[in-house]
Amino acid sequence: MGGAFRLWLLVLAVLVGAARADAACTAETYEGNDYTVCRFDLRQDHLQLFSLDDRGEPFGSFNSLELALEPKGQTLAFAMNAGMYGENLKPIGLYIENGRTLRKLNRRDGPGNFHMKPNGVFYIDGAKSGVIETEAFAAAGLHPQFASQSGPMLVVDGEIHPRFSPDGTSLQRRNGVGAPDGHTLVFVISEDWVNFHSFARLFKDRLNCPNALFLDGSISSLHAPDMGRSDGFAPLGPIVALVKGP
C-alpha cells in the first residue's frame, strides 16, 4: 500500500510538472514587483488578433470573444488587451487582422501615451513575429497577417525609451509585449503599480527583449485559464489571443 501510494504521488508530481511546463503564463517577481509573464513561440503557438465580431461591433471583453468561439468548437486559451483604442473601442493606430488592414499606420503627433514617440507596432506573420518602432515599420515594407500599433515603445534596439525616468511618479498597472527573437513574443502584465522605467527594465534586463512595446495601463487585462483568471473589469479594444480547437 505504501509503495503504491508513493508511486501515485510520483505520477502526480510528473503530471503537475508537465502541466506547469506547458503553461504559457507564469508568475514572476523582478526588483520587488510582481508580474505575470506569458511566453509564446510562434512556430508552435498560433496567436491571433480580434477586434470586431460578425456584426462589425467590438467584442469588448474576453467573455464576448469566448461566446463567439463556442459555436466553432473553439476555446480561448490565452488573451490580453492588445493596443490603444478610442471611445468606440476601435484601434487608434495600425491594425491588421487576417491580412486585412482595418486601420492605417498612425504617424501623427498628439497627446497621451500613444503619441509619446517613439511608439511602435507588434506583428505576427505565421511563425515570424516582432516588435518594431513605427517609423522603422513604415520603412520595412512589412505586410504581416496580424499587427497592432500602440505606444510608447518601452525598449528600442536595446535602449529604454529616452523619456522614461527611474524616478517617474506615474504608477499604473501596465501591460506590454516584447520580442526576444524573431519567432517569440512575451506578453507581460504587472500585478503591482509600476512606472514606465521599471516596466521597461523588466523587458530589457530580465526578459532579454531588445524591443518592447507598451500596450496599456489601468485597463490592462489578462485571460489565463491555466491560472484560473479572466479579468473583466474594463471594456477592451483589440485583443490578442491563443485559440484552441478546429
Side-chain angles (χ1 to χ4, degrees):
M1 183 68 177
F5 182 70
R6 285 194 295 272
L7 178 60
W8 179 84
L9 286 178
L10 178 61
V11 171
L12 180 62
V14 170
L15 290 174
V16 170
R20 286 176 178 167
D22 291 339
C25 301
T26 58
E28 300 191 22
T29 300
Y30 182 67
E31 296 184 336
N33 292 311
D34 292 331
Y35 301 90
T36 300
V37 179
C38 305
R39 298 173 174 85
F40 298 97
D41 185 331
L42 276 296
R43 295 170 297 185
Q44 302 172 2
D45 302 315
H46 304 294
L47 294 176
Q48 304 175 61
L49 285 169
F50 295 89
S51 178
L52 306 179
D53 61 21
D54 292 339
R55 301 167 300 165
E57 296 297 324
F59 285 105
S61 69
F62 301 141
N63 183 60
S64 294
L65 179 54
E66 279 191 295
L67 292 175
L69 294 171
E70 280 182 3
K72 304 175 185 178
Q74 298 175 327
T75 57
L76 198 58
F78 157 85
M80 182 178 280
N81 58 295
M84 301 284 181
Y85 55 89
E87 293 182 1
N88 59 2
L89 303 184
K90 295 181 180 180
I92 61 174
L94 175 74
Y95 182 80
I96 302 173
E97 184 176 322
N98 292 316
R100 294 179 57 226
T101 301
L102 304 182
R103 179 90 182 191
K104 293 182 179 180
L105 195 68
N106 184 341
R107 302 166 75 178
R108 297 190 299 270
D109 294 325
N113 289 330
F114 179 89
H115 297 285
M116 191 191 298
K117 295 183 177 180
N119 54 17
V121 174
F122 85 88
Y123 67 89
I124 299 161
D125 195 19
K128 299 178 181 179
S129 60
V131 175
I132 186 170
E133 185 266 331
T134 293
E135 295 304 320
F137 181 90
L142 297 172
H143 301 282
Q145 188 178 11
F146 298 95
S148 181
Q149 186 181 8
S150 192
M153 289 287 286
L154 297 168
V155 185
V156 186
D157 296 332
E159 299 294 333
I160 291 177
H161 194 294
R163 290 183 59 183
F164 297 168
S165 168
D167 301 319
T169 58
S170 175
L171 303 178
Q172 292 284 350
R173 190 163 170 264
R174 306 179 187 275
N175 73 300
V177 57
D181 54 52
H183 54 78
T184 305
L185 290 176
V186 183
F187 294 87
V188 180
I189 186 168
S190 69
E191 305 305 334
D192 296 316
W193 286 32
V194 297
N195 66 23
F196 272 126
H197 204 280
S198 293
F199 199 41
R201 287 200 305 273
L202 170 78
F203 280 99
K204 176 179 177 289
D205 299 332
R206 173 67 173 266
L207 302 177
N208 299 313
C209 294
N211 290 282
L213 177 67
F214 179 64
L215 293 177
D216 219 324
S218 69
I219 64 95
S220 299
S221 302
L222 172 66
H223 175 85
D226 288 346
M227 304 182 83
R229 174 174 177 176
S230 186
D231 300 336
F233 48 81
L236 301 177
I239 296 170
V240 60
L242 178 64
V243 175
K244 297 289 188 178

